[in-house]
Amino acid sequence: EQRKLITDYLEKGLRMMKLSLIQVTAQVGTLSPKDGPKMFEALDKNRETYVKNIKEYEDALTYFTEEQTISENEGLI
């Protein structure tokens, strides 16, 4: 039951981060040409943080869906 709640939380958080990254990218695309390069530079800096956070959520989700199940099946948990 707890594992289901955790995986739901991770899945929703992961989806939220990906959608947020898409939203920011789309907003930058609507800027005027003179403001665009500055915003793209800022987006690139933020993109690294988004990618890092997304990777952490994906790793945690993998743990709670695959590795945790393997450990349970082997009697380790």
Side-chain angles (χ1 to χ4, degrees), residues 16-61:
M16 182 182 70
M17 283 187 276
K18 288 179 179 180
L19 290 172
S20 177
L21 182 58
I22 291 168
Q23 178 185 12
V24 169
T25 303
Q27 287 174 345
V28 170
T30 63
L31 296 175
S32 71
K34 70 175 189 166
D35 293 334
K38 289 184 237 173
M39 292 303 292
F40 276 116
E41 186 177 314
L43 178 63
D44 282 340
K45 290 179 184 175
N46 288 332
R47 188 183 322 259
E48 292 176 19
T49 302
Y50 276 108
V51 170
K52 180 182 173 193
N53 290 338
I54 288 170
K55 175 73 172 129
E56 289 174 356
Y57 267 69
E58 287 174 339
D59 289 347
L61 190 57

Side-chain angles (χ1 to χ4, degrees), residues 2-14 61:
Q2 286 181 335
R3 188 171 71 189
K4 174 74 172 129
L5 292 173
I6 292 169
T7 57
D8 286 346
Y9 172 81
L10 291 170
E11 287 170 351
K12 288 176 183 173
L14 188 58
L61 190 57

